[in-house]
């Protein structure tokens, strides 16, 4: 089973500060689940004697299942795609084992429009009528993620759906939106995949939970945040055009609405965070 330490990633805002507070490991799914699952991930933290830490995430269009243990107790839940940024408060010590589904991978398990989950969190019991407390407790007491994965995969196999040809198709569309910088509008996807626009929108509502336009915009915002994280003050006008925004004002408005800060304010917040780390401030 392949694994790696994930030191940084698109979507994890203020990633450098986060690396000082938690560890993140990732694991690939078994072959029979690879059509549905992108990866498993394990986050651990030990902040005993330290101030709590808020990690802000600009999420991908993926549903996650998470098994969590922290000072407040144990929780197993299904997390729909967040509409804006997602903030997780880390305090004391804890661990989370997550299942990150491929963009269209959760629908066959759920068998309802994934848009019903968008911005929502359900317990696994409410989502599937299954009690997993004992399994989660046993799993989260294990030392290594490699040992946890088989327990979760058995749980998933018990729910394994029938093959659905739309899953691979939609995953390819989303991957194209990530890789192809020339895809800036929904019409670009329609043309590339020879699809009716309304059909595309209905499929995304059912399988992904958010619109094609949302997916394109989210990935472009993640690109912008990543460029800012890498340092330097970008040419905002050129960056706006490169990411497919009508003009610089439109880009700034969208960035601030999603992240809560204007691009320049976000640059300053990263610089301030870096200065505090260099001065060993909490």
């Amino acid at each position: 089973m392949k694994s790696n330490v994930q030191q940084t990633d698109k979507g994890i805002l203020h990633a450098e500060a986060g690396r000082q507070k938690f560890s993140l490991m990732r694991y690939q799914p078994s072959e029979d689940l690879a059509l549905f699952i992108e990866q498993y991930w394990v986050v651990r933290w030990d902040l005993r004697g330290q101030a709590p830490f808020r990690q802000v995430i600009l999420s991908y269009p993926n549903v996650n299942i998470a098994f969590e243990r922290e000072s407040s107790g144990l929780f197993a839940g299904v997390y729909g795609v967040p509409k804006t940024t997602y903030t997780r408060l880390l305090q004391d010590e804890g661990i989370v084992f997550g299942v990150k589904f491929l963009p269209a991978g959760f629908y066959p398990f759920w068998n309802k429009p994934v848009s019903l989950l968008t911005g929502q969190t359900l317990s696994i019991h409410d989502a599937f009528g299954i009690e997993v407390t004992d399994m989660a407790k046993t799993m989260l007491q294990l030392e290594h993620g490699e040992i946890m994965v088989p327990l979760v995969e058995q749980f998933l196999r018990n729910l394994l759906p029938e093959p659905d040809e739309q899953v691979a198709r939609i995953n390819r569309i989303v991957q194209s939106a990530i890789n192809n910088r020339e895809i800036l509008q929904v019409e670009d996807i329609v043309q590339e995949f020879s699809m009716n626009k309304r059909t595309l929108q209905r499929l995304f509502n059912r399988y992904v939970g958010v619109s094609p336009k949302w997916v394109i915009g989210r990935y472009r915002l993640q690109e912008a945040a990543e460029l800012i994280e890498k340092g330097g003050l970008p040419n905002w006008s050129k960056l706006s055009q490169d990411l497919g925004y009508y003009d610089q004002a439109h880009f700034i408005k969208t960035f601030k609405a999603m992240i809560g800060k204007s691009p320049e304010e976000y640059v300053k917040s990263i610089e301030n965070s870096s200065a505090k780390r260099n001065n060993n401030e909490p």
Side-chain angles (χ1 to χ4, degrees):
M1 180 181 300
K2 297 180 180 180
S3 67
N4 66 287
V5 179
Q6 182 67 23
Q7 295 295 334
T8 187
D9 193 18
K10 285 183 181 179
I12 299 178
L13 306 185
H14 291 275
E16 181 63 30
R19 287 201 293 267
Q20 311 301 315
K21 300 297 183 179
F22 62 86
S23 67
L24 172 57
M25 297 286 291
R26 290 184 171 186
Y27 305 90
Q28 295 180 359
S30 298
E31 185 176 353
D32 62 321
L33 292 169
L35 177 64
F36 310 103
I37 309 299
E38 179 175 323
Q39 64 194 9
Y40 307 108
W41 50 269
V42 180
V43 172
R44 299 178 188 267
W45 66 93
D46 188 347
L47 299 178
R48 288 174 293 183
Q50 302 179 45
F53 176 75
R54 293 183 181 275
Q55 178 60 62
V56 182
I57 300 171
L58 188 61
S59 301
Y60 286 83
N62 305 77
V63 173
N64 283 261
I65 284 180
F67 304 87
E68 312 173 34
R69 189 196 72 225
E70 52 184 328
S71 57
S72 61
L74 191 72
F75 179 70
V78 178
Y79 291 79
V81 179
K83 294 179 180 179
T84 57
T85 53
Y86 170 71
T87 301
R88 176 61 188 259
L89 178 66
L90 306 180
Q91 56 187 351
D92 298 325
E93 66 172 337
I95 179 173
V96 181
F97 183 104
V99 181
K100 183 180 180 182
F101 289 83
L102 286 163
F106 185 73
Y107 170 77
F109 293 88
W110 172 246
N111 205 28
K112 300 175 186 177
V114 178
S115 58
L116 296 175
L117 278 173
T118 301
Q120 306 294 321
T121 301
L122 292 179
S123 70
I124 288 180
H125 182 271
D126 288 344
F128 297 110
I130 298 173
E131 181 54 63
V132 295
T133 301
D134 290 342
M135 184 201 80
K137 185 181 297 183
T138 298
M139 179 182 67
L140 295 176
Q141 288 174 343
L142 299 174
E143 184 175 354
H144 300 294
E146 293 96 332
I147 309 173
M148 301 178 189
V149 168
L151 292 176
V152 174
E153 290 204 323
Q154 186 55 53
F155 160 73
L156 292 170
R157 288 188 181 107
N158 291 336
L159 300 171
L160 197 62
E162 294 295 321
D164 184 336
E165 63 181 14
Q166 296 291 4
V167 171
R169 183 187 188 194
I170 296 169
N171 287 335
R172 285 195 301 270
I173 292 172
V174 174
Q175 192 61 46
S176 180
I178 299 171
N179 296 338
N180 188 349
R181 290 290 302 274
E182 295 182 359
I183 291 182
L184 301 174
Q185 307 293 334
V186 177
E187 287 72 16
D188 298 327
I189 295 179
V190 169
Q191 181 174 356
E192 178 173 342
F193 289 90
S194 300
M195 295 182 66
N196 177 275
K197 184 175 181 179
R198 294 283 297 179
T199 299
L200 179 68
Q201 291 169 333
R202 286 196 296 269
L203 286 172
F204 268 59
N205 179 76
R206 177 170 292 275
Y207 282 83
V208 184
V210 289
S211 69
K213 179 180 178 180
W214 188 99
V215 169
I216 296 169
R218 174 56 58 95
Y219 281 116
R220 300 304 171 249
L221 277 179
Q222 287 174 336
E223 288 185 49
E226 184 183 39
L227 287 172
I228 294 171
E229 289 268 358
K230 289 180 177 178
L233 195 64
N235 180 324
W236 299 121
S237 179
K238 183 178 184 304
L239 180 62
S240 302
Q241 293 178 357
D242 290 345
L243 297 180
Y245 290 92
Y246 302 123
D247 52 35
Q248 182 176 340
H250 181 219
F251 164 66
I252 292 173
K253 180 180 179 181
T254 304
F255 190 99
K256 186 170 184 177
M258 188 63 63
I259 293 179
K261 297 182 176 72
S262 71
E264 290 192 351
E265 289 171 340
Y266 187 61
V267 170
K268 290 179 182 178
S269 70
I270 291 173
E271 291 173 345
N272 291 338
S273 179
S274 178
K276 286 183 178 180
R277 289 196 305 275
N278 292 336
N279 294 327
N280 295 318
E281 296 180 24

